[in-house]
Amino acid sequence: MVGVNVSDDHPRNHAVIWVGGKWRLSPMYDVLPMLDEGPAKALAMSVGREGSQVSRSNLLSHHAHFALARDQAEQLLEEVAGWEQELKDHYAQFLSGADLDMACDAASSALMMR
């Protein structure tokens, strides 16, 4: 089976938005599964003290840079990880077989929660 990753992150996939009278980091967008590259071991951009490594500790390591307390950042990470089934259900509307399996693998939250 062809591998899939989501290493398509780059600065144009992120923005700041005005929410509740404050500037906040927007949810990422326009990030697509990349075929033929194998499972993502790292992101295209550095996201924390451990560079581009996909791990819970790295994703949480710069929480203060986003004006978040550690517990707030943990809650947000868990919320994003909680979208996994919703993404899989979405992919199932359009894909089947090996294509669906690859898309579901790409949507896995396992790496970011370890």
Side-chain angles (χ1 to χ4, degrees):
M1 178 188 321
V2 175
V4 175
N5 74 52
V6 288
S7 61
D8 179 41
D9 62 315
H10 51 78
R12 291 185 179 174
N13 294 135
H14 306 274
V16 290
I17 55 176
W18 186 257
V19 177
K22 299 182 210 173
W23 289 106
R24 305 305 290 175
L25 184 65
S26 76
M28 68 179 178
Y29 50 87
D30 188 34
V31 176
L32 305 171
M34 304 296 289
L35 300 177
D36 298 325
E37 293 184 14
K41 304 282 190 270
L43 300 169
M45 294 176 14
S46 292
V47 295
R49 292 185 182 129
E50 301 163 19
S52 59
Q53 179 182 344
V54 181
S55 69
R56 180 181 181 85
S57 64
N58 193 38
L59 294 171
L60 294 172
S61 68
H62 282 314
H63 64 86
H65 290 265
F66 299 100
L68 295 170
R70 173 76 182 209
D71 63 326
Q72 291 173 304
E74 289 173 343
Q75 288 174 343
L76 287 170
L77 183 56
E78 289 169 15
E79 178 185 344
V80 171
W83 299 339
E84 182 175 344
Q85 189 58 52
E86 184 178 338
L87 285 170
K88 290 178 179 183
D89 293 344
H90 174 76
Y91 292 146
Q93 295 176 48
F94 306 99
L95 303 171
S96 62
D99 291 336
L100 177 58
D101 292 341
M102 288 187 298
C104 288
D105 287 344
S108 173
S109 62
L111 285 176
M112 70 178 179
M113 295 306 288
R114 66 182 167 122

